[in-house]
Amino acid sequence: MKIQIVCFMFLWSYAHSSCVTPLGATSECVSLYDCAPLLASFEQRPLPSHVVSFLRQSSCGFEGYVPQVCCGPLPAQTSTSTPRPRPRPTRPPNNNNGQRSPVEAEDSSPAPSDVCGIDTQGDRIYGGQFTDLDEFPWMALMGYRTPSGSITYQCGGVLINRRYILTAAHCVTGAITREVGTLVTVRLGEYDLQSETDCMNDSCADPPVEVPVDSSHPHSGYSDSNSDKRDDIALVRLAQRVKYSYYVQPICLPDGRSRLTVGNDVFVAGWGKTLNGRNSPVKLKLKVPIFEKENCIKKYRTLGAELTSNQICAGGKFAEDACRGDSGGPLMRAKNNGVWESVAVVSFGYGCGRDGWPGVYTSTANYLDWIRSTLQSTNV
Ligand code: 4AZ
């Protein structure tokens, strides 16, 4: 029996269907990772839009999270590009001091607008995917203690003042606590999890800061068993106040007045799963468009999820998405004055990067009262 199953799996994974490539050649539909010419073009950074477009035309389905492509060569001009050099950070460290004190009134409200969302520098590579070393200094990695005692980072979040992280409820409660472990630590000022000191173009970041978690506060309306993942938002209180630096700064919350409209470009960032199926060691960013809500509601209804007015849909383009591990991280936008605000929290989706399937996000603006009252009631 065992042998039969193994043989069946062997046949199943090697019996590829035939297809026609965008250039008209007959080929086979295989995993992107088994298609050397397309994989090589996909791994260049920044990823040019014509390469994304060719990959999209080559797409022939998904196996789990892994895209399948009709494998063949790219047209000559599509295959390479030289990454642009990156600018050095120029802004000096901000010297606010973060002295410890058990309970501070300023921890009970979001960071004031002259402190939060500061754009660390101007010149960005928008089409690209790696962030700059100093970009999005509010990004947090949520660390879980596993049953074996090790720490694993599985969700994202954002620093909103010296004491609190905004993240997703499913990053602090439910299946994650059984399947991964208990949230015990938050890492700030991180760029590349694989290197101790992160440097780019002769400029090095301060070492990341590891802050123990004091308490987690998921929204009371959230339940793992709701397929719509309503109220997927949480605040995490840190056991110590954080000292702001050039690489550790809070993001602003939306003021509740500004509206997002379809097609508005927003950014998602994190260390989540990439198309190679592994979590990224490096902080990544991606520009995604706001997706039409009614259309999104209809799509998710077919999967039995009834989305609420407190959720936003964004993305929906092939291979451009947040994915497992990005949860809890932000959907962000820079306002006209260049100040960044966290407009939503990465919540869930139908797989990752499927054409026509946007990701679902919890709208921060709809929870401002909950955030204010939770900051006050838990900062004791
Ligand atoms: C996840 O499992 C997850 N494509 C997060 C975001 C999306 C899918 C899955 C959106 O955490």
Side-chain angles (χ1 to χ4, degrees), residues 206-270:
D206 303 331
V209 188
E210 201 70 56
V211 194
V213 165
D214 167 72
S215 49
S216 299
H217 308 278
H219 193 287
S220 60
Y222 175 79
S223 162
D224 254 7
S225 50
N226 284 342
S227 55
D228 56 33
K229 290 233 192 288
R230 71 182 56 193
D231 301 327
D232 193 7
I233 191 164
L235 284 164
V236 171
R237 185 173 191 267
L238 303 172
Q240 293 152 17
R241 303 191 83 215
V242 167
K243 184 174 177 178
Y244 294 157
S245 69
Y246 187 52
Y247 295 96
V248 178
Q249 293 179 36
I251 191 169
C252 301
L253 296 182
D255 57 18
R257 284 191 302 262
S258 39
R259 287 266 146 256
L260 285 169
T261 48
V262 175
N264 275 172
D265 282 324
V266 283
F267 284 82
V268 57

Side-chain angles (χ1 to χ4, degrees), residues 65 170 321-325 327 346-349 351-353 359:
Y65 286 123
H170 84 264
D321 201 359
C323 198
R324 187 167 296 172
S327 276
V346 178
S347 180
F348 76 107
C352 305

Side-chain angles (χ1 to χ4, degrees), residues 91 94 96 106 110-119 244 249-252 335 337 339:
R91 194 171 159 274
N94 150 353
N96 290 331
E106 70 174 85
S113 58
D114 56 336
V115 176
C116 64
I118 295 166
D119 200 336
Y244 294 157
Q249 293 179 36
I251 191 169
C252 301
K335 294 187 287 187
N337 58 3
V339 169

